Amino acid sequence: MKKISLVVLFGLLAGCSDDTRETTTTCDTGEVLNPISGVCEPGRVGPNPNNNAGDDGLDGGTDANEEPDLPPNPFLDMAADVGTEDRCSAALDSDQDGLTNGCECSLGTDPARPDTDRDGLLDGQEDKNSNCRLDPGETDARSADTDGDGASDGDEIRAGSDPLNIDSDDDGILDGPEIASGCMDPTKEDTDGDGLPDGIEDFNEDGMLGTCVNRVFAPACSDGESDPCKSDTDGDGTPDSDEVQYLGCRPEDTANLVDPQLLVNNAGDYKLALVLGVPSAPITGLNAHGFNDATSGYAGFVASLATPAAATTPELVSNNVVTQVRAVFPGAVLRSSGRRTTTHDGFQAVVNGVIQLSGGLKADTVRNQILARLSNAAVNPTIAGAFTTTPGNDPILAVYQVVRRGATYVITLTTVADSAYSNPASNAGFRVDDLTGGTSVAKASETLEDECVSYRVDTRAKVDFIWVLDGSGSMGEEIAAVRNFATQFTQILQASNLDWRIAVASGSCRGIETDLAIDPSLRTQFGSGFTGTCPSFGPAPYLPNGKLCDTGQANFTTDVAKFTACISELDPSQNGFRIAGEHTVTMGAAAISRATPRSDTDNTKIRTDAAVVVISVTDEFDDHIQAKMGWRDAGGAGEPPNDPTLDPGFDSAKLDMVTQPFIDYFLRPEIGATVFGIFWVPGTPCTIASEASAGIDRIVQRTGGTSGSICQADISTTLQQIATASAGIASGLRLRGVPVAPSLKVKVGQVSTAMIIDWTRNRANGWDYDSIVNRVTFKGPNPPQTGDRVVIPYRRWAGSVRQCTVDSDCPREQKYQCVSGVCL
């Protein structure tokens, strides 16, 4: 289009010249010579993808396999002679396009040209009702390509596609590339009828067969693609749909799907998807169901309850759940505050929260006690399935989600032994997470529909981690715990088939106000009112001997020894606070800023297509947030640790204002960072930390991460959860729409063995599903390899595909992107 515009501009200038010498003009293919201006312009119509050989699409007739040409019009590209006084006359139609000159002036078209935008349609054909304005359902006579899909409106009309829909057949390829291909049909999802949608065969969606010239297939140039225009691309007698390397969704993949068990309560307006065969029953007197999966070792309930009056956010509803559980089990500890998400039907939720209770309990008894407390009613359902008391050293976990629906909220809570939940070889962990991960609950009236997605494995998913550690004197034990977990953390990442790197940054903000490497929007947050509060420990600008961490500068590595050495640099017991600092989430944003723009060749920069995960570890406030909020320091003889959320004067609205700039920065489309944290989670008891990190917790929740309690005796389980969640964030196997997890199936076409294998769901060696980011991940030593095909059929909630125009239309905390008008 740029080339065409330049040619037209040159021609118009030449038409005003005094130079009257004769010239011979040869137009390019697809262009015609305008006899008035002497300029080559786009032809009246483009090539017809259904033309027979030898037909240029401009003959005004119809061939056997050709759509009818537009009616010939001798004025189509002829400029009319319009005087100044007649230009906007309501009584004239100078260019005979069906619109009066006055109408064209109102519409913004050219009264002297019958086809102002040169798209092959008369201006009057585009303004169908001749009311001199652009109405819904009309193409724009001022724009050759109204929907911006790369094909002119006239070409779309000829091809039968919709000039107001970028992807008329919904196959994942824009109409423009399909029409330009010369063989693909923009009105058919599967042009060649081989059972593979065009978007699967042409997976980079450019309308070509790899780099093969004239679509002549050869493995070297096909780039792993098959030809949407041929049912047997390589001509070996086997249809593309039966070739492992072209494996895609087939009708039988969804035809064999089985609906999960659905627990429905119309009064409570919920529907819960539960694994088939799990015993369940309504709970008398409540809008609730109970269920027992004694085989897997968990019990649970789903209930619709009244929202506490002051619980204006899902986080506050979640806090109330924790408070009520602690009222029944005073020794309960919040292991994870959960992750904030937006459900498929638009409600805010906190999912996968984890509360640890003591051992020596029974899962079904604990379930009943918690529901009785939350509902203030007697709960003693009769449900099949016997549970045994857990040993005293095996805690019971209460894993829950809350979906806030205004005056009511729906809660799903499961109780399970820690040993079963944390064992990757057990199915208890993923079944519990499915129930409490935000996708299992819908309104009572919702229905299910079939879906299937398929992917070609191109590269390992990439993720770059930035750990921000508090190096103050009280952090010796916690830093040691992170250091001791380093090897296990990297092993979890390796088992997820991730291409990972790790950097460690201190929480020191020394010199940040004047550091031009920091994004100005962040530097201004540390403005004049905050100057002078940053500690100045350590030599400037970096530690000696090329060590890995200081002042928020990320140096990424895959070397576990370097990772642990850098952690040791921040250990106050070894380095005497040389780079101490407690800006343990705000400096995470600064570290990202210093690590951008992205680069694949600089180990101080985030890679171009890597997911970004920030992990904050501290036992105190973030100093920047503390200063802005005016919170007091904890400490002093007999003074209790400080939890600002328990203070009657706690200002939640102000905290939103202080933290929002950092949330916005982390969630920028070009960054898309998820923040995790290990700290004293507000609203929970703690005896070993100094301050409850309400500000960090707010940022973690709003970026889709999760918080673990630093008050636990052992934080390794929380670190494992972070590693597992990070694998889901980085994985590229995103699902379309929101599934009911029990219906998910996964099969892999292995190119190396030419076999199609049904993959088993297993967190030790198989596939898994992360409901927060709506992605399938692979675990174990033998994940799918480059070139393999992955097919995922499932049942999803009807209407759960989110429409969008830009990325910001999609839930940001879940890292969705707007792809071809859909949030993926």
Side-chain angles (χ1 to χ4, degrees), residues 522 659-672 699 702-703 812:
L522 292 177
T659 57
Q660 195 62 49
F662 295 94
I663 294 168
D664 289 340
Y665 184 81
F666 285 126
L667 292 180
R668 285 186 182 181
E670 69 273 19
I671 294 172
I699 292 173
R702 300 296 168 85
T703 60
R812 294 192 300 166

Side-chain angles (χ1 to χ4, degrees), residues 271 443-449 795-799:
K271 179 177 287 183
K443 290 190 172 183
S445 60
E446 292 195 53
T447 58
L448 298 174
E449 61 188 6
R795 297 278 281 162
R796 73 180 184 194
W797 296 112

Side-chain angles (χ1 to χ4, degrees), residues 41-269:
E41 298 177 348
R44 176 172 63 85
V45 291
N48 189 327
N50 297 314
N51 280 348
N52 287 335
D55 180 13
D56 62 4
L58 303 174
D59 56 10
T62 304
D63 295 326
N65 297 314
E66 179 186 356
E67 297 292 334
D69 290 326
L70 293 172
N73 189 306
F75 301 100
L76 192 58
D77 273 325
M78 304 287 285
D81 185 10
V82 184
T84 302
E85 68 280 4
D86 295 329
R87 182 169 181 80
C88 293
S89 171
L92 295 177
D93 179 7
S94 298
D95 55 9
Q96 300 185 38
D97 60 0
L99 299 178
T100 68
N101 293 4
C103 186
E104 296 216 51
C105 286
S106 298
L107 183 61
T109 53
D110 188 347
R113 286 192 177 276
D115 181 11
T116 297
D117 56 10
R118 299 175 177 83
D119 62 357
L121 300 176
L122 297 177
D123 294 345
Q125 289 177 294
E126 301 204 63
D127 183 14
K128 296 176 183 178
N129 56 14
S130 302
N131 66 353
C132 315
R133 65 172 183 260
L134 179 62
D135 292 324
E138 291 182 335
T139 53
D140 189 345
R142 301 161 300 180
S143 171
D145 180 9
T146 299
D147 59 8
D149 60 4
S152 72
D153 297 338
D155 284 351
E156 294 220 52
I157 295 295
R158 289 175 53 79
S161 58
D162 184 351
L164 301 178
N165 184 344
I166 62 174
D167 183 7
S168 297
D169 53 10
D170 198 30
D171 62 357
I173 306 176
L174 300 186
D175 293 341
E178 293 208 59
I179 293 173
S181 73
C183 68
M184 296 169 67
D185 189 337
T187 69
K188 292 182 179 179
E189 184 183 21
D190 179 10
T191 294
D192 56 14
D194 62 359
L196 298 177
D198 295 344
I200 297 301
E201 300 202 65
D202 178 21
F203 60 79
N204 67 0
E205 303 169 4
D206 65 355
M208 297 185 288
L209 175 59
T211 59
C212 298
V213 178
N214 296 325
R215 309 187 78 87
V216 178
F217 172 80
C221 65
S222 68
D223 295 335
E225 292 186 335
S226 55
D227 192 342
C229 303
K230 294 180 180 179
S231 60
D232 181 8
T233 298
D234 55 12
D236 65 355
T238 301
D240 292 342
S241 57
D242 290 335
E243 302 259 21
V244 169
Q245 64 266 36
Y246 305 137
L247 180 67
C249 294
R250 307 177 187 180
E252 59 266 29
D253 291 328
T254 52
N256 298 324
L257 292 174
V258 178
D259 280 349
Q261 180 181 181
L262 296 172
L263 308 184
V264 183
N265 183 292
N266 290 311
D269 197 15

Side-chain angles (χ1 to χ4, degrees), residues 331-395:
V333 174
L334 183 64
R335 178 180 286 184
S336 171
S337 65
R339 299 160 74 181
R340 183 168 184 169
T341 185
T342 302
T343 63
H344 71 276
D345 45 3
F347 295 106
Q348 294 297 307
V350 170
V351 304
N352 290 147
V354 182
I355 307 170
Q356 179 177 308
L357 315 178
S358 63
L361 303 169
K362 291 176 61 179
D364 53 347
T365 302
V366 171
R367 181 264 318 277
N368 296 344
Q369 289 177 289
I370 293 175
L371 180 55
R373 176 71 186 192
L374 291 173
S375 63
N376 194 30
V379 175
N380 189 24
T382 301
I383 306 173
F387 290 85
T388 58
T389 302
T390 61
N393 59 355
D394 189 4

